[in-house]
Every structure is written in C-alpha cells, then in structure tokens.
Amino acid sequence: MQNQKAKADTLRALHADGVLVLPNAWDAGSAVLIARAGARAVATTSGGVSWSLGRPDGERLTRDEMVEQVRRIAAAVDVPVTADVEGGYGPAPEDVAATVEAVVAAGAVGVNLEDSGAPGGGLFGPEEQAARLRAAREAAARAGLPELVVNVRTDVFLFGIGAPEGRLDDVLARAKVYAEAGADSLFVPGLLDLDTLAVLAGRSPLPVNAMAGPGGPGVAALAAAGVRRVSVGTAVTQAAYSAVHRAAVELLTEGGYGALEGALDFGTLNGVFAD
C-alpha cells in the first residue's frame, strides 16, 4: 500500500505543474507500450476495455470485468494507473463506493467518474453527483488510499445539455459543487474551443482535463489555454483496431501484406514484454 500511496501522490503532483498527457490504454500490453513510450501515468479507456472483451462501451461490462482489466494493467506497469469507471457501475452512492473500493484493491490510484448514467442519457444533478463523489472519497479512505485522485467527468458539452450559451456556466457551477464534494480535477469531453477552455481553466476551482484527438488542438495549444491534463479517450484503441481491420481486409481480399508494413519487428515487441 505504501507504493500505491506514493503513486497516488505522484499522480496528484502531475496535475500541479505543466500538462499531464495520457494516451489511454485498454489492456496490459497497450499499457506497457504506452509507459515505455514515456508516459508518466497510464489512464484506461472504458471503450477500449469494453471492446477488448467484445462488448460495446457504456457500462456493458460488469464491475468485476472492468476491475480485472485494471488489475492486469496496474500489475504490468510501474507508473500510476487511473481507471475509467464510467458512471460508477450503478447510480447510487453505494454503487460508486463499491467500484472505488474494488479498483483501489486492483492497484489503481485514480478514477474517472462521469456525471451521466448512460451514453445519450441525462446527467445527474450537481448535488446527486456530489453525493456520489463524497461516497468515492469515503470509499477510498476505507480502502486505505485517501490520496486517490478523483477526476470528475461532466458531459454537459459532450451530450449538448441545455442551450449552448449556458453550458459554460453550467460546467462552472458543477465544478464548484464537485470540488466541494472532493473531486481533484474536472474532465470536460466535447469541449475543444480554446477560448472557452481558457475561460473555464481560469475560473474553475479544479484543474481541467480535455479530451483531444485528430482535427483538434495540439497539446501545446491546450496547455497554453490552461488545460492541465490531456487524454484521448478511445482514439489510440481505434487506431490499433483499425490497423487490425485494414490488415485483415487486405489479406483476405487481395492476398497482400502492405498494411502490415512499418510494424515493430517481433524481437523488439517481444523484448518489451520480456523486460
């Protein structure tokens, strides 16, 4: 547990200065490669974890299935691991508490907790989500890791909740309530407008996490806007699985191997896991 506490402290410190960049992992192998590339921490992606088990995203896994993947990832790398626990695998504070205790036991030192229950659905009210956040904090303390880093995700922009002109104020109001309930950082997927991000980062009581990807602002631009944490959601998983699809289609339809060119050679890749 002392090592886990040290990793939690490290993850917390990484939000305090500069920008923390997190290429999201979905299994132990991807986590090892991401860590070897120089990532200072590893974040899981619920979509990637779900796809790796043959399921769609959106809490289609059981809590136990998700936790087992987190356990394997945390055991495979030496850097801090923060787990995407979606909406907590149940709406009640008790559900969130059970999830947090389980991922702490699996070796995670951080969690993402959404304020929406399902993709395309409505959001929990700020006070409802605050109760869930307090349950997460209390559960982490019971599990022996009060240092757990809680990255609260709000889907106001992602799901287009309310009138566009009111969304920033909604997020700021939620950020205040969530901070008071014990959140450590604020994740706002669906928002990549740099001017709006700058206002949010300047007024939020919590450091801001943005979800970026192809076509969006680069890490340097996001950092200049005040963003302190950048993740890419399922984007790395999509790239990997797209490579599988392209290679399979080419092999089965043309009998060619062009899509396999440029890959790491067997010895190099095998050596990564032999270390």
Side-chain angles (χ1 to χ4, degrees), residues 64-217:
D64 288 346
E65 287 173 324
M66 180 277 298
V67 169
E68 182 55 31
Q69 288 293 84
V70 172
R71 187 185 314 281
R72 290 174 178 175
I73 289 169
V77 297
D78 293 327
V79 298
V81 171
T82 179
D84 182 350
V85 300
E86 305 191 68
Y89 298 91
E94 293 80 8
D95 299 316
V96 174
T99 297
V100 167
E101 290 189 43
V103 294
V104 169
V109 299
V111 294
N112 275 18
L113 179 64
E114 301 168 10
D115 62 7
S116 58
L123 273 55
F124 291 104
E127 292 301 334
E128 289 179 293
Q129 181 69 353
R132 288 156 41 83
L133 288 165
R134 286 191 291 270
R137 286 254 70 99
E138 292 164 4
R142 285 195 303 273
L145 191 68
E147 301 88 351
L148 181 80
V149 177
V150 178
N151 187 38
V152 61
R153 171 176 141 176
T154 181
D155 285 337
V156 170
F157 280 92
L158 186 65
F159 290 165
I161 302 297
E165 62 272 16
R167 289 173 193 160
L168 177 59
D169 286 341
D170 186 357
V171 169
L172 284 166
R174 287 175 179 271
K176 181 177 185 297
V177 174
Y178 296 169
E180 291 170 352
D184 297 298
S185 55
L186 179 71
F187 184 23
V188 193
L191 174 59
L192 284 174
D193 178 79
L194 292 173
D195 291 338
T196 305
L197 279 169
V199 174
L200 176 61
R203 294 173 58 189
S204 171
L206 298 169
V208 173
N209 177 182
M211 184 169 72

Side-chain angles (χ1 to χ4, degrees), residues 1 5 8 12 33 37 39 57 80 90 144 151 162 171 178 184 190 192 200 205 218 240 243 245-246 250 262 265:
M1 181 56 77
K5 286 176 178 288
R12 186 175 298 278
L33 288 169
D57 192 17
N151 187 38
V171 169
Y178 296 169
D184 297 298
L192 284 174
L200 176 61
H245 182 258
R246 285 193 298 271
E250 182 185 13
D265 66 77

